[in-house]
Amino acid sequence: KDLIVLEDISKDYPGDGVITKVLESINISFEKGVFTTIIGPSGSGKSTLLSLIGALDKPTKGNIYFEREIITNLKNRRLANFRFEKIGFIFQQFHLLPTLTAMENVMCPLFTRKVDYSKKERAIELLDEMGLKDKVHALPSQLSGGQQQRVAIARALVHRPEWILADEPTGNLDSESSKIVFDLLKKLNKENGIGIILITHDPNLAKQTDRIVEIKDGKIVSDTLQTCKEDIV
Ligand code: ADP
Ligand code: ADP
């Protein structure tokens, strides 16, 4: 339970007569309680890996198990439902809709869904948790980068996902905002029990997580549990 397992995952992209092998025979599992970072050079396949885990794309080969269910064979509609139930995404670009307020942006994933709670109240509650109580009715253009990313995190949480997949969420932020966003992710993991898989280029952030997985040329070249060090001391 609370486990994502990737079994012999490969991903190719067909091009003009050439096939780009982006990931090759990846075997790895992720545990919800273990805050995991993925690091590696640009173009090594980190984003591709995350998009496969989050079922935004399908692997060329191999299976992905989500809490024992194989998701790799699901049809598109089932896959969309699976994402809605389990996954929240955040990216380097905040992808907020510019004409909607913070609250409306957070409610966005719920627009086409029936839920048994007040969408507005849920959005306001989350913005409050993100420290943005006074920005509920602000437009993205009236917010700093760090504040926009916190709106994006609230949006990623609005449908109560079990996992947050974060692709360089601090890549466009100054160090202060970066710390705020990172600390929020850490709190979501440790206090709210939400699984976090974070791609980052920042070694300082990676160091503060439980596990660092390093990817190079589409392969896992190292995988370090950092908590062990602390446990021994
Ligand atoms: P990273 O996140 O580590 O920077 P990516 O997963 O974004 O790496 O990309 C890995 C490689 O796969 C790159 O060479 C990239 O150009 C290629 N790639 C990624 N997505 C696609 C795609 N949709 N079509 C073709 N090539 C892609
Ligand atoms: P990030 O900043 O999250 O690493 P990238 O700029 O690497 O994002 O890629 C953004 C998106 O574009 C990803 O979904 C990736 O799969 C896709 N992509 C990256 N490289 C290529 C490529 N060469 N051809 C097509 N799509 C690509």
Side-chain angles (χ1 to χ4, degrees):
K1 220 188 153 259
D2 295 346
L3 209 61
I4 301 173
V5 178
L6 277 66
E7 193 180 74
D8 201 20
I9 290 294
S10 296
K11 179 70 181 175
D12 304 337
Y13 287 112
D16 322 317
V18 259
I19 292 176
T20 316
K21 284 190 172 184
V22 178
L23 296 172
E24 242 186 294
S25 306
I26 300 274
N27 287 287
I28 189 169
S29 50
F30 298 96
E31 214 178 300
K32 207 184 262 173
V34 179
F35 189 156
T36 301
T37 30
I38 299 177
I39 62 167
S42 203
S44 55
K46 302 182 298 296
S47 293
T48 302
L49 185 67
L50 211 66
S51 69
L52 295 179
I53 295 169
L56 289 174
D57 201 356
K58 291 186 177 188
T60 312
K61 187 169 145 261
N63 279 318
I64 298 177
Y65 297 82
F66 221 97
E67 290 154 15
R68 297 220 177 96
E69 184 189 11
I70 296 189
I71 59 162
T72 7
N73 301 330
L74 295 182
K75 295 274 178 293
N76 286 341
R77 179 184 292 256
R78 296 265 322 271
L79 218 46
N81 278 328
F82 159 82
R83 276 197 302 268
F84 185 77
E85 278 172 24
K86 306 277 188 189
I87 311 253
F89 293 96
I90 49 176
F91 301 95
Q92 183 168 357
Q93 315 298 341
F94 319 121
H95 298 301
L96 299 178
L97 294 171
T99 58
L100 299 185
T101 65
M103 179 185 77
E104 289 162 346
N105 267 286
V106 173
M107 289 164 64
C108 239
L110 303 176
F111 279 160
T112 59
R113 300 272 175 168
K114 264 204 167 132
V115 290
D116 58 6
Y117 46 85
S118 157
K119 295 175 181 178
K120 269 191 187 176
E121 275 172 27
R122 171 90 181 131
I124 293 169
E125 176 192 305
L126 281 166
L127 286 167
D128 188 12
E129 253 180 71
M130 297 297 128
L132 295 172
K133 200 181 180 122
D134 54 340
K135 302 293 180 188
V136 166
H137 302 296
L139 292 170
S141 59
Q142 298 168 317
L143 301 173
S144 72
Q147 291 170 335
Q148 290 185 59
Q149 190 61 295
R150 282 185 274 155
V151 174
I153 297 174
R155 180 183 54 191
L157 290 167
V158 76
H159 50 91
R160 305 180 192 280
E162 295 178 16
W163 293 78
I164 295 273
L165 306 182
D167 192 343
E168 289 202 48
T170 61
N172 273 336
L173 304 181
D174 58 68
S175 56
E176 196 180 328
S177 307
S178 174
K179 183 172 167 20
I180 293 171
V181 164
F182 178 78
D183 288 345
L184 278 168
L185 295 178
K186 204 162 176 175
K187 178 165 169 275
L188 289 171
N189 183 250
K190 297 306 171 204
E191 291 176 24
N192 304 58
I194 294 172
I196 312 269
I197 305 176
L198 168 72
I199 295 178
T200 183
H201 272 118
D202 185 342
N204 272 325
L205 294 189
K207 265 195 292 191
Q208 297 173 57
T209 63
D210 301 324
R211 179 186 184 194
I212 303 179
V213 176
E214 187 185 4
I215 298 197
K216 265 185 197 156
D217 297 328
K219 296 194 189 86
I220 294 169
V221 293
S222 73
D223 189 348
T224 317
L225 257 186
Q226 314 217 86
T227 37
C228 297
K229 289 181 214 158
E230 287 173 11
D231 289 344
I232 293 165
V233 178

